[in-house]
């Protein structure tokens, strides 16, 4: 390396680090690539937490990864099953293969909101999302989705048709500017025209912190009740019956630095195990 100047050495080191970050190095299957457009993202992988700050460098996301979008942050995830998903502040999801009698997929939403655009599917292919109480499926469309900390969910159709189903697996079609909800683990409600304030709120993909009182309500929940999407009684019962989702626990350890893939030296230290990153700060 004597013949390399300092700038060339840093470029060579960065390329080596990015190569090590590929799924083969971790012994895992890559599910997609995430770009942190704003703020910070944390991946919990094999018991270790890795944080990435905003950067144009895409980050590999593997099957079995647990991913958390931090406060005031936003990421774009491009998946192997041809979805482009924009996830906002405080969203939490896991890339864990799942299967029901009728559907299968990899993406599991645990909390928060996203906007999805799916293109290029062929034949009987569908992009499916699973939560604890709902399954959302599309062949090729664009839609927004919100999941409260008590498991209540709402789907807003944007383009073409998306299907929503509760635990009964009975699908409800949701067209453009329509909404369907899954409350208290029940069936998906028949789709109706979405209230304007609900559409405006769903235009934002940010959510409150998962442990906050606001996290237990869907966007513009009052308007959804007024429009008859769901009843006030069913919403109240769901909040009384279901425990609130809390952020993943973390051991009490001192703050640790984030990693930016643009910083080759710091990235190489992480991959050598010199940084001990925690999911929580």
């Amino acid at each position: 390396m004597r013949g390399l100047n300092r700038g060339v050495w840093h470029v060579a080191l960065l390329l080596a680090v990015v190569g090590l970050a590929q799924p083969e190095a971790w012994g895992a299957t890559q599910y997609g690539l995430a770009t942190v457009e704003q703020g910070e993202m944390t991946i919990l992988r094999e018991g270790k937490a890795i944080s990435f700050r905003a950067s144009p460098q895409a980050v590999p996301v593997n099957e079995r990864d647990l991913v958390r979008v931090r406060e005031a942050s936003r990421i774009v995830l491009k998946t192997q099953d041809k979805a482009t998903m924009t996830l906002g502040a405080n969203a939490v999801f896991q890339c864990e293969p799942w299967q029901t009698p009728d559907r299968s997929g990899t993406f599991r939403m645990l909390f928060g909101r996203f906007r999805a655009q799916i293109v290029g599917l062929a034949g009987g292919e569908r992009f499916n999302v699973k939560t604890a109480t709902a399954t959302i499926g599309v062949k090729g469309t664009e839609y927004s989705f919100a999941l409260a900390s008590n498991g209540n969910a709402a789907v807003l159709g944007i383009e073409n048709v998306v299907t929503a189903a509760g635990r009964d697996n009975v699908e409800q079609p949701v067209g453009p500017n329509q909404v369907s909800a899954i409350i208290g683990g029940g069936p998906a409600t028949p789709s109706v025209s979405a209230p304007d304030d609900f559409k405006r709120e769903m235009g934002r993909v940010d959510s409150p912190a998962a442990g906050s009182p606001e996290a237990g309500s869907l966007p513009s929940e009052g308007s959804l009740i007024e429009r008859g999407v769901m009843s006030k009684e069913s919403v109240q019962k769901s909040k009384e019956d279901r425990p609130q989702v809390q952020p993943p626990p973390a051991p009490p350890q001192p703050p640790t630095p984030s990693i930016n893939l643009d910083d080759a030296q710091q990235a190489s230290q992480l991959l050598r195990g010199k940084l001990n990153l925690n999911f929580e700060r």
Side-chain angles (χ1 to χ4, degrees), residues 37 73-74 86-89 113-116 142-146 154-158 177-178 194-207 218-220:
E37 292 190 338
S73 301
R74 183 179 62 251
T86 302
L87 297 108
R113 305 182 200 177
F114 66 76
R115 181 170 178 144
E142 186 173 357
Y143 69 97
S144 291
F145 181 78
V155 183
L156 173 66
I158 297 176
N177 296 313
Q178 290 186 328
D196 289 340
D197 56 348
F198 174 75
K199 290 189 289 186
R200 284 193 298 270
E201 183 66 21
M202 290 292 280
R204 302 172 59 250
V205 289
D206 294 334
S207 296
L218 291 171
S220 301

Side-chain angles (χ1 to χ4, degrees), residues 196-255:
D196 289 340
D197 56 348
F198 174 75
K199 290 189 289 186
R200 284 193 298 270
E201 183 66 21
M202 290 292 280
R204 302 172 59 250
V205 289
D206 294 334
S207 296
S212 67
E214 296 80 8
S217 297
L218 291 171
S220 301
E221 191 169 274
S223 294
L224 295 176
I225 293 173
E226 290 178 5
R227 183 59 61 89
V229 176
M230 64 258 196
S231 70
K232 183 177 181 179
E233 293 73 21
S234 66
V235 172
Q236 185 61 38
K237 188 175 187 301
S238 71
K239 294 180 179 181
E240 294 172 352
D241 292 347
R242 293 187 59 80
Q244 299 291 305
V245 173
Q246 298 296 329
Q253 295 187 14

Side-chain angles (χ1 to χ4, degrees), residues 39-277:
E40 189 176 1
M41 169 187 73
T42 301
I43 296 178
L44 187 62
R45 176 179 296 160
E46 297 180 354
K48 297 180 180 180
I50 318 167
S51 290
F52 301 89
R53 296 193 300 268
S55 169
Q57 174 66 53
V59 177
V61 176
N62 299 342
E63 288 187 4
R64 308 194 185 284
D65 280 355
L66 177 67
V67 183
R68 184 175 187 181
V69 185
R70 310 300 299 204
E71 187 177 358
S73 301
R74 183 179 62 251
I75 73 168
V76 174
L77 173 68
K78 295 188 176 181
T79 75
Q80 299 284 35
D81 35 16
K82 302 176 182 177
T84 299
M85 309 181 73
T86 302
L87 297 108
N90 299 309
V92 183
F93 65 92
Q94 188 172 25
C95 304
E96 179 78 20
W98 57 269
Q99 188 166 2
T100 68
D102 301 316
R103 297 283 176 259
S104 63
T106 302
F107 191 91
R108 296 172 183 256
M109 192 67 179
L110 302 182
F111 173 74
R113 305 182 200 177
F114 66 76
R115 181 170 178 144
Q117 186 176 35
I118 298 90
V119 295
L121 296 181
E125 291 180 326
R126 285 166 58 108
F127 174 70
N128 298 311
V129 173
K130 188 83 171 64
T131 78
T133 62
T135 306
I136 313 302
V138 296
K139 180 171 175 56
T141 190
E142 186 173 357
Y143 69 97
S144 291
F145 181 78
L147 179 65
S149 60
N150 52 21
N152 292 344
V155 183
L156 173 66
I158 297 176
E159 184 179 274
N160 299 326
V161 176
V162 57
T163 62
R167 287 176 173 161
D168 60 356
N169 292 321
V170 177
E171 294 185 337
Q172 291 288 346
V174 185
N177 296 313
Q178 290 186 328
V179 57
S180 175
I182 297 93
I183 305 298
T189 63
S191 57
V192 299
S193 295
D196 289 340
D197 56 348
F198 174 75
K199 290 189 289 186
R200 284 193 298 270
E201 183 66 21
M202 290 292 280
R204 302 172 59 250
V205 289
D206 294 334
S207 296
S212 67
E214 296 80 8
S217 297
L218 291 171
S220 301
E221 191 169 274
S223 294
L224 295 176
I225 293 173
E226 290 178 5
R227 183 59 61 89
V229 176
M230 64 258 196
S231 70
K232 183 177 181 179
E233 293 73 21
S234 66
V235 172
Q236 185 61 38
K237 188 175 187 301
S238 71
K239 294 180 179 181
E240 294 172 352
D241 292 347
R242 293 187 59 80
Q244 299 291 305
V245 173
Q246 298 296 329
Q253 295 187 14
T256 51
S258 300
I259 181 170
N260 188 329
L261 282 182
D262 292 336
D263 187 337
Q265 183 177 3
Q266 197 176 50
S268 64
Q269 289 175 342
L270 171 67
L271 294 174
R272 290 171 188 163
K274 293 183 179 180
L275 295 180
N276 178 24
L277 298 181

